[in-house]
Amino acid sequence: RAPGPIEVATRVELESFGRLSSVKGQIALRLARVLDDPELAEARLSAMAGQLEKMMDAATAGATPPADRGAQLAEARRLKRESAATA
């Protein structure tokens, strides 16, 4: 079966935080697969969505947000250039 839109979005977000292979990341991915099931009853959908949100918060806790990562890399490159210039 092809991944559904919630699974794809969850995978992209977890990868961007570097947390896809974590236990909590894998649990979040499993929850996303369940949410993509068109047979999921409306009552379960709301509960499962809440569980996914909590698990994503737990999976990405303490991780550097993707936007910040780019800034950190740029700063690291700048510092490396400066240290090479003064060496």
Side-chain angles (χ1 to χ4, degrees), residues 21-22 29 34 56 68 74:
S21 62
S22 71
L29 201 57
V34 171
M56 288 297 289
D68 293 346

Side-chain angles (χ1 to χ4, degrees), residues 25-85:
Q26 287 298 300
I27 292 169
L29 201 57
R30 178 69 177 104
L31 288 168
R33 286 185 195 120
V34 171
L35 282 166
D36 278 329
D37 182 354
E39 302 296 316
L40 186 64
E42 290 295 318
R44 296 268 307 149
L45 181 67
S46 178
M48 295 295 291
Q51 289 178 358
L52 176 59
E53 184 178 0
K54 287 178 186 173
M55 189 53 61
M56 288 297 289
D57 288 344
T60 59
T64 303
D68 293 346
R69 226 181 265 164
Q72 286 178 342
L73 290 173
E75 178 66 8
R77 285 192 292 272
R78 184 187 67 76
L79 291 172
K80 187 175 179 180
R81 282 192 305 272
E82 285 179 4
S83 68

